[in-house]
Amino acid sequence: MVSQIQPPTQPEVIYPDSDGQPVANNTIQFGWIVEIKQNIEWLFADDPNVFVAGDLFWYPVEGRNTIVNAPDVLVVLGRPKGDRLCYQQWKEEGVAPQVVFEILSPSNTQTEMDKKLLFYDRYGVEEYYIYDPERHNLHGWLRGEDGLDVIPQMEDWVSPRLNIRFAPSPEGLQLYRPDGERFLTYTEISRNAEQERQQAKQERQRAEQERQRAELAEQARRDAIPRLLQMNLSIEQIAQALGLSVEEVRTLAQE
């Protein structure tokens, strides 16, 4: 009897979801990452098939766990929202992140950023933006026929995929939603939300006060009708005095 030799078992490939490095090297970089990520999430909040993540490992090739990058912000249109330990592209119907943002920190080297550009170019990113908050420099690339091409003019540039507008200046970068509203920081959003809550509370209080005034006025009219009738005023005279119709006075007088 000849026994068949089983092929050697392939070791399971592990795709780490962390490299032990911090999300950001300073508060400025972290603030920009959060602002861009959250504003884009809010922009597509009603679309269940837009996935936005920050500092998430992206593995474009199955079985190759050394081919990986973790963009500061990535946007994938056409993939469902939801938590992921990492973005394994072969499990996402092969869809690569279309838009990627990197926020520079002092520790970033030119060699490192050149490698990132090569990675994003090679693995299908359509739009790539780098912002240096220290120098207020903004650079962008857009995919053309031969790969990622430099966007020559970033002032008032509108992202083809996200439809957001970039407004760089010597004072800093501003990003604008398609409706013209500026991207807001978490603090600004919280402050606006609190103001809206206070305004809604005041509106409810004013509505309640108006309701109570109306009830008191109605009750006063009801109470006045018997007294006016005792003064021998006619139904018509009472209706005119109280601003009611004759029918309303007759109905109230019978209650």
Side-chain angles (χ1 to χ4, degrees):
M1 178 176 182
V2 178
S3 61
Q4 293 184 343
I5 300 175
Q6 297 296 325
T9 303
Q10 294 294 327
E12 181 184 1
V13 179
I14 304 300
Y15 300 94
D17 53 30
S18 174
D19 57 5
Q21 299 298 314
V23 174
N25 291 336
N26 55 64
T27 57
I28 297 174
Q29 184 190 26
F30 182 76
W32 273 103
I33 293 171
V34 171
E35 179 177 332
I36 292 173
K37 175 184 178 292
Q38 289 188 331
N39 278 273
I40 294 176
E41 281 183 326
W42 290 323
L43 179 62
F44 291 100
D46 295 330
D47 190 333
N49 288 311
V50 177
F51 174 64
V52 185
D55 194 49
L56 184 72
F57 274 23
W58 164 28
Y59 293 95
V61 182
E62 185 176 7
R64 302 287 299 278
N65 61 3
T66 58
I67 301 176
V68 60
N69 224 311
D72 287 334
V73 179
L74 62 79
V75 184
V76 192
L77 295 96
R79 296 306 300 153
K81 293 178 176 15
D83 294 326
R84 292 162 172 82
L85 294 177
C86 58
Y87 190 85
Q88 299 178 28
Q89 188 169 320
W90 59 95
K91 293 183 177 180
E92 305 284 351
E93 298 186 356
V95 180
Q98 293 95 349
V99 186
V100 163
F101 294 83
E102 294 285 358
I103 308 300
L104 291 184
S105 69
S107 67
N108 290 128
T109 65
Q110 187 60 50
T111 299
E112 176 188 0
M113 300 315 297
D114 289 343
K115 287 182 177 179
K116 285 179 179 286
L117 175 58
L118 179 62
F119 182 98
Y120 298 143
D121 186 22
R122 178 174 295 166
Y123 293 111
V125 169
E126 298 178 13
E127 301 176 39
Y128 175 34
Y129 303 103
I130 298 178
Y131 180 56
D132 182 349
E134 182 178 356
R135 297 178 177 82
H136 306 309
N137 290 333
L138 174 68
H139 301 283
W141 289 262
L142 180 67
R143 182 164 294 277
E145 293 183 359
D146 300 319
L148 289 173
D149 296 327
V150 173
I151 300 170
Q153 177 58 262
M154 285 303 300
E155 185 175 355
D156 287 329
W157 169 260
V158 177
S159 161
R161 277 291 194 169
L162 307 180
N163 203 28
I164 61 175
R165 181 169 64 87
F166 295 77
S169 72
E171 291 74 36
L173 173 65
Q174 294 289 351
L175 296 170
Y176 292 88
R177 296 163 48 94
D179 59 7
E181 292 294 321
R182 177 176 61 86
F183 273 28
L184 301 176
T185 65
Y186 179 78
T187 300
E188 290 173 323
I189 292 168
S190 298
R191 185 182 300 120
N192 291 346
E194 179 60 27
Q195 290 175 348
E196 291 176 359
R197 283 194 292 269
Q198 291 298 327
Q199 290 173 355
K201 181 180 179 180
Q202 291 172 359
E203 287 297 328
R204 290 194 297 269
Q205 290 175 339
R206 282 194 289 268
E208 178 61 20
Q209 291 170 354
E210 184 61 32
R211 185 188 65 80
Q212 292 176 355
R213 282 195 293 268
E215 288 181 353
L216 290 173
E218 178 67 18
Q219 189 60 48
R221 285 194 293 267
R222 290 173 179 270
D223 295 342
I225 290 174
R227 294 196 299 271
L228 295 174
L229 288 172
Q230 292 176 0
M231 296 171 60
N232 295 323
L233 270 68
S234 67
I235 295 293
E236 291 76 11
Q237 290 173 322
I238 295 173
Q240 184 176 6
L242 298 179
L244 299 172
S245 67
V246 172
E247 291 74 13
E248 287 175 320
V249 174
R250 287 198 179 102
T251 299
L252 292 172
Q254 294 171 359
E255 292 181 353

